[in-house]
Amino acid sequence: MQAKRVLTLAGDGIGPEIMQQGTRVLEAIAKKFDLPLQIETALIGGAAVDVEGQPLPESTLAAAKQSDAILLGAVGGPQWDTLPRPQRPEQGLLGIRSQLKLFANLRPALLFEPLASASSLKPEVVAGLDLLIIRELTGGIYFGQPRGVETLNDGEREGFNTYRYRESEIKRIGHVAFQAAQRRGKKLCSVDKANVLEVTGLWREVMNELAAEYPDVELTHMYVDNAAMQLVRAPKQFDVMVTGNMFGDILSDEAAMLTGSIGMLPSASLAESGLGMYEPCHGSAPDIAGQDKSNPLAMILSVAMMLRYSLQYPEAAAAIEQAVADVLTQGLRTADIAHDGDAIIGTKAMGEAVIKALN
Ligand code: IPM
Ligand code: MG
């Protein structure tokens, strides 16, 4: 069997330390299941700016295009915030998403039972929570032209961005969402702001048109402000949610926190070609970087998602997910998921515990 090529992009902040644990778990699972994997690394984000002067070097993009799947840590940090926008770390992430056409971002929010008390919501509100946010990732206001900051005739500056979606972009993400709902609880909630924004009025229309092709899925619509409220009021009403780039960015952070910590949530960004990039939903957390304090579980669960969606090793994915559930049942906690009096362990120890549980 030809080895599958995995490219790891650790990035900035806590990126390298969680990637180290993610890679160890990947190596351990490859050994256990005898999976032929070839792991390579490249630079992205601020780490790439420091060495190459730009957040997404050509060599990184080329390596990404040749791989079967990509693992990403996190990008960004205060030391790069004053650079001109095209050179900031975030542009590396947005650039790779766009260049590789990773339009479908899957962000599952799954509550591991032992963490019900780590949520900021009452345990009964979140116990059993299992929802999937599908965020459009290569369009919308993040990429719309024109954009910029200009000085008007009267000397005042004006900033502007453009929120636009083509029908084909809405359809493409819609199909992903309906099909995901078919494999799950068969309920899809499309989130928009159709009462105010024309672009999301079109979004709603297109979703309604697609619904005819998926009679087994129950489609509902919700305005984004209400969706944000419903997520904290009664999150278990949701099965699959689909929304545009910016609303998805915001709602997925909110949903993440329902599960106890954003440090628990993996994500997958998929292209039509099947190529996928896998990363934690959380950011680079520069305030705790390099201190062995970060939670590597979102990274480790991203490895599991990669094995399932891009590498087609579902048993290996399930084994990692089970190992994560096991360490949580054993009571092992990093600081972000600790609750009254729990003993706290570090990033490395958590990674080691997962590997031990695997074997
Ligand atoms: C995310 C992040 C990114 C985004 C940032 C780092 C550009 O918040 O993946 O959710 O806004 O998409
Ligand atoms: Mg975000």
Side-chain angles (χ1 to χ4, degrees):
M1 214 185 335
Q2 211 190 345
K4 301 237 169 120
R5 298 173 71 164
V6 175
L7 180 70
T8 66
L9 305 171
D12 311 318
I14 59 170
E17 60 198 81
I18 57 173
M19 185 63 81
Q20 197 181 14
Q21 301 314 312
T23 306
R24 288 178 64 198
V25 169
L26 182 59
E27 284 165 352
I29 199 87
K31 197 160 162 218
K32 182 177 161 77
F33 284 83
D34 206 12
L35 312 176
L37 292 182
Q38 186 184 331
I39 305 175
E40 286 154 48
T41 63
L43 295 173
I44 198 166
V49 171
D50 289 347
V51 178
E52 310 247 352
Q54 47 164 317
L56 180 60
E58 269 307 315
S59 54
T60 298
L61 196 57
K65 284 182 178 160
Q66 278 163 24
S67 60
D68 294 293
I70 302 153
L71 280 175
L72 183 114
V75 298
Q79 64 269 54
W80 301 288
D81 279 350
T82 49
L83 290 173
R85 195 163 292 276
Q87 282 162 41
R88 289 199 207 153
E90 289 76 10
Q91 293 305 314
L93 180 56
L94 297 172
I96 199 169
R97 286 174 179 171
S98 162
Q99 297 278 336
L100 300 179
K101 303 191 174 64
L102 303 169
F103 72 96
N105 186 212
L106 277 48
R107 299 191 159 185
L110 178 76
L111 184 93
F112 285 90
E113 220 51 55
L115 293 186
S117 56
S119 172
S120 46
L121 297 188
K122 295 194 196 85
E124 63 269 26
V125 176
V126 293
L129 180 80
D130 177 2
L131 75 89
L132 174 62
I133 295 186
I134 298 192
R135 167 188 179 195
E136 199 292 325
L137 202 60
T138 54
I141 198 166
Y142 269 50
F143 291 93
Q145 295 288 346
R147 61 191 296 158
V149 180
E150 279 172 5
T151 305
L152 303 174
N153 289 337
D154 62 4
E156 193 182 1
R157 284 170 303 160
E158 181 183 45
F160 55 96
N161 289 87
T162 306
Y163 189 178
R164 56 198 318 152
Y165 268 119
R166 293 175 78 108
E167 196 175 351
S168 55
E169 291 175 293
I170 304 171
K171 274 196 183 139
R172 184 169 71 162
I173 194 72
H175 281 299
V176 171
F178 275 103
Q179 285 163 21
Q182 277 183 324
R183 289 190 299 268
R184 294 176 38 110
K186 302 193 165 43
K187 278 169 53 184
L188 176 62
C189 178
S190 171
V191 176
D192 61 40
K193 189 71 186 173
N195 49 344
V196 180
L197 303 173
E198 285 81 355
V199 48
T200 71
L202 177 66
W203 177 283
R204 187 176 284 220
E205 252 175 63
V206 172
M207 290 294 164
N208 279 330
E209 287 160 19
L210 287 185
E213 295 177 43
Y214 301 93
D216 53 333
V217 175
E218 180 205 325
L219 173 70
T220 56
H221 302 276
M222 209 178 262
Y223 298 140
V224 63
D225 49 349
N226 185 25
M229 194 238 326
Q230 295 299 335
L231 270 175
V232 288
R233 193 189 71 88
K236 283 186 272 183
Q237 68 186 283
F238 298 111
D239 175 22
V240 179
M241 299 173 98
V242 63
T243 189
N245 206 340
M246 183 166 65
F247 296 162
D249 179 45
I250 299 166
L251 293 180
S252 61
D253 266 29
E254 190 189 5
M257 203 58 214
L258 304 175
T259 69
S261 166
I262 194 168
M264 292 299 302
L265 287 207
S267 79
S269 306
L270 307 173
E272 250 154 350
S273 66
L275 177 64
M277 183 165 85
Y278 299 82
E279 57 182 303
C281 284
H282 60 70
S284 57
D287 53 320
I288 56 165
Q291 299 171 35
D292 195 42
K293 279 186 186 162
S294 59
N295 183 350
L297 293 178
M299 186 78 242
I300 290 169
L301 290 167
S302 299
V303 171
M305 277 188 107
M306 173 181 79
L307 289 162
R308 175 170 292 118
Y309 288 103
S310 281
L311 305 183
Q312 321 301 339
Y313 296 132
E315 302 83 16
I320 292 178
E321 286 156 356
Q322 186 57 52
V324 168
D326 290 347
V327 301
L328 295 172
T329 305
Q330 288 162 30
L332 299 175
R333 301 282 185 272
T334 43
D336 58 310
I337 48 176
H339 189 63
D340 301 336
D342 282 339
I344 292 174
I345 63 170
T347 314
K348 280 204 187 97
M350 187 57 106
E352 266 150 34
V354 172
I355 291 171
K356 198 162 154 226
L358 266 181
N359 297 321

